[in-house]
Amino acid sequence: MNVSSANVTAVGRDPDSFSKAVAKNVIVVVLGISINYINANLIHTFTKHQIFYMNPRYILFIHLVVNDMIQVMLTVILFVISYTVYRINVSLCCAFILLTLFTTENTPLNLACMAVECYIAICAPLHHVQICTIKRTLLLIGLIWTTTMFSVMSDLFITLATQPLDFFYSRVFCLRQTAFPGPLIIKKRDITYSVFLVIVWITIFYTYFRILFTAKTASKDAKKARNTILLHGFQLLLCMATYAAPQLLDVVRKWFVVNYTDSLFAFYVIVQILPRSISPIIYGIRDNTFRKYFKRYLLCKYTIL
């Protein structure tokens, strides 16, 4: 994942002017702070009311929000580092990249689980309470992290086995391919991402169309669940752009030769930042129950209930 690729000095192109570099960093930092401010209020709202932390749907949602906060924080840090420090110690870079990969790969799996929960609530409402328990939800979150751990940590183990010890004391421009070099890692990444892509999209399509058929003759809740799945799909589409980043960056390089640096910056914002702003829309604004409590905290107007 090329979280720092917007600084094209790393890929042999002319660097941005000082004013443009400052402007891009200010935009990224402001976007990051704004998204994490909203997400922090979502978490605060969640923890203050039992109606949320005793509901599997909101538990999965808040796990996604926490995941998004970590992702935004790390990508913004790496973006700023790419313009300021430029090269950092490989060991530190590995830590940043590993954490970023964890949160990146968690997101589509979490979205798939939320889609399944919506499907059960609408298409099998009588069994929802028995199937979607808090204990099973927490176990599911643990399974998500375990799955991504096997996927991500293999990069580290392959690098430890193939690179000399001195490599971890050197300094590099912090990208995934510089922290974890090697053709084997690239092949493993492509296979893993392909499997994730197929499983998650099958889940999204299946749950959407089952809810769609139910919504034709069912309640307004079913139609709202259908729209929620659509938003999940849009968010997932943006997140999946990360999986196809090398191919997409090649397209950007060929189509936008003149404004290549600006195109890379737009790619970074769309792929890394924009998807993290959709979660507050889905539940913080669209969900009536959450919105009622969330508005009390968004502008720092906290009250004791």
Side-chain angles (χ1 to χ4, degrees):
M1 181 178 54
N2 301 326
V3 291
S4 305
S5 60
N7 184 353
V8 293
T9 54
V11 290
R13 302 286 180 129
D14 293 333
D16 288 326
S17 64
F18 177 77
S19 58
K20 183 177 287 188
V22 170
K24 288 180 178 180
N25 278 271
V26 169
I27 291 172
V28 167
V29 171
V30 169
L31 284 174
I33 291 174
S34 300
I35 292 172
N36 276 355
Y37 172 74
I38 295 173
N39 284 339
N41 279 279
L42 289 171
I43 295 172
H44 182 83
T45 303
F46 172 84
T47 57
K48 289 296 182 179
H49 303 284
Q50 187 178 14
I51 190 175
F52 299 130
Y53 60 75
M54 297 300 291
N55 188 317
R57 177 176 301 175
Y58 294 112
I59 292 174
L60 284 172
F61 164 63
I62 217 66
H63 173 251
L64 181 65
V65 170
V66 172
N67 195 79
D68 285 349
M69 286 190 69
I70 299 172
Q71 165 80 355
V72 169
M73 180 182 68
L74 290 171
T75 55
V76 169
I77 289 173
L78 286 172
F79 186 91
V80 174
I81 286 175
S82 73
Y83 276 92
T84 53
V85 181
Y86 189 67
R87 294 179 183 272
I88 63 174
N89 182 271
V90 170
S91 299
L92 180 60
C93 177
C94 286
F96 276 129
I97 296 298
L98 284 174
L99 288 172
T100 309
L101 289 174
F102 272 126
T103 55
T104 299
E105 295 187 12
N106 277 346
T107 297
L109 297 179
N110 200 105
L111 289 172
C113 292
M114 294 174 74
V116 171
E117 190 278 332
C118 281
Y119 160 74
I120 295 172
I122 298 302
C123 299
L126 298 179
H127 302 286
H128 182 265
V129 176
Q130 290 78 20
I131 297 173
C132 300
T133 64
I134 294 177
K135 181 178 180 180
R136 287 180 178 176
T137 303
L138 295 177
L139 288 174
L140 187 61
I141 291 174
L143 181 61
I144 290 174
W145 279 92
T146 302
T147 302
T148 55
M149 183 177 297
F150 280 115
S151 171
V152 172
M153 292 304 292
S154 60
D155 286 6
L156 178 61
F157 294 144
I158 293 172
T159 304
L160 288 171
T162 58
Q163 296 296 325
L165 186 61
D166 291 345
F167 170 74
F168 295 95
Y169 293 98
S170 60
R171 297 174 69 86
V172 296
F173 184 82
C174 193
L175 299 171
R176 182 176 186 176
Q177 59 266 33
T178 57
F180 302 109
L184 182 60
I185 293 177
I186 295 176
K187 291 180 180 179
K188 188 273 304 179
R189 179 198 65 193
D190 292 341
I191 293 172
T192 302
Y193 284 0
S194 298
V195 172
F196 278 12
L197 185 68
V198 170
I199 293 175
V200 172
W201 274 113
I202 288 176
T203 303
I204 292 291
F205 277 114
Y206 177 79
T207 54
Y208 173 75
F209 284 108
R210 286 301 300 270
I211 293 175
L212 177 64
F213 296 141
T214 303
K216 289 181 179 180
T217 57
S219 65
K220 185 171 66 174
D221 289 338
K223 295 180 181 179
K224 188 172 183 179
R226 179 198 62 190
N227 294 333
T228 299
I229 298 294
L230 265 181
L231 283 172
H232 283 330
F234 176 66
Q235 186 177 14
L236 184 63
L237 182 64
L238 293 176
C239 293
M240 287 298 183
T242 300
Y243 290 176
Q247 294 78 12
L248 292 174
L249 287 173
D250 286 339
V251 173
V252 171
R253 188 176 295 110
K254 292 176 182 177
W255 288 6
F256 302 97
V257 177
V258 177
N259 298 317
Y260 183 64
T261 60
D262 297 332
S263 301
L264 276 182
F265 176 72
F267 178 85
Y268 167 81
V269 172
I270 293 171
V271 173
Q272 298 295 340
I273 303 295
L274 183 59
R276 318 300 159 186
S277 64
I278 297 178
S279 297
I281 295 175
I282 294 177
Y283 280 95
I285 297 176
R286 292 184 68 251
D287 186 271
N288 292 330
T289 305
F290 210 100
R291 183 173 66 243
K292 181 175 67 174
Y293 293 98
F294 178 54
K295 288 193 299 185
R296 302 178 183 180
Y297 301 103
L298 183 59
L299 299 177
C300 298
K301 295 179 180 179
Y302 301 104
T303 58
I304 300 176
L305 301 181

